[in-house]
Amino acid sequence: MIKVKRIDHVAIAVADRDASSKQLAGLLGLAVGAREHVAGQKTDVAFLLAGQGSQASDDGAALELCAPVGNESLQRFLDARGPGLHHVCFEVDDLPAALASLKAAGVRLIDETPRLGARGHWVAFLHPAATGGVLFELCAAGHGGKPA
């Protein structure tokens, strides 16, 4: 199968990225890292990192807060379930190869080819029907505009 390098982030669906990041950062003592609008996914995201100030690091697993800005699927998720755990993202070295391996093994994919996501990473989602009902995302750092 594939080789996972690490958990990159755990994503929480929220209605308001900024209010939620302020609340959770204060409650859990996390630093607010990258904040951006991901046009291709129609979401606003913020990453919360362990540590504060100069001690915060984005080389560990982050908490990603995702708010829909026209993303109908994420909006339906919030309408049906309210804010809460949305997906877990694993970093891999070679995302196209990982997707090819999973597809060859019969794993149902939402994305058969990587697409650009937050923080310049290339991402692809696995269908929850193939993973026991959990939405998983795979990501790889972008290199020269191409998925790793």
Side-chain angles (χ1 to χ4, degrees), residues 47-92:
F47 289 87
L48 302 181
L49 312 171
Q52 292 185 331
S54 63
Q55 300 298 318
S57 171
D58 64 1
D59 59 358
L63 187 63
E64 178 189 38
L65 304 179
C66 302
V69 183
N71 182 314
E72 293 176 11
S73 176
L74 186 57
Q75 187 61 58
R76 280 193 307 273
F77 178 94
L78 282 169
D79 291 345
R81 298 183 179 111
L85 179 64
H86 187 258
H87 67 269
V88 177
C89 179
F90 295 116
E91 182 182 0
V92 298

Side-chain angles (χ1 to χ4, degrees), residues 4-19:
V4 170
K5 289 174 62 174
R6 67 184 184 104
I7 295 174
D8 183 76
H9 65 268
V10 174
I12 307 295
V14 298
D16 183 322
R17 171 197 64 189
D18 295 331

Side-chain angles (χ1 to χ4, degrees), residues 21-143:
S21 61
K22 181 178 179 181
Q23 177 192 22
L24 288 173
L27 179 68
L28 300 173
L30 301 172
V32 179
R35 294 174 61 251
E36 64 186 276
H37 175 71
V38 184
Q41 294 183 11
K42 299 180 184 176
T43 59
D44 282 341
V45 300
F47 289 87
L48 302 181
L49 312 171
Q52 292 185 331
S54 63
Q55 300 298 318
S57 171
D58 64 1
D59 59 358
L63 187 63
E64 178 189 38
L65 304 179
C66 302
V69 183
N71 182 314
E72 293 176 11
S73 176
L74 186 57
Q75 187 61 58
R76 280 193 307 273
F77 178 94
L78 282 169
D79 291 345
R81 298 183 179 111
L85 179 64
H86 187 258
H87 67 269
V88 177
C89 179
F90 295 116
E91 182 182 0
V92 298
D93 279 324
D94 187 336
L95 184 52
L99 292 172
S101 175
L102 291 167
K103 185 176 179 178
V107 175
R108 187 171 169 192
L109 305 173
I110 292 174
D111 301 298
E112 291 191 13
T113 58
R115 58 186 159 124
L116 196 56
R119 299 178 295 169
H121 290 162
W122 290 93
V123 302
F125 286 87
L126 312 181
H127 198 284
T131 57
V134 178
L135 180 61
F136 286 103
E137 177 184 23
L138 302 179
C139 76
H143 298 285

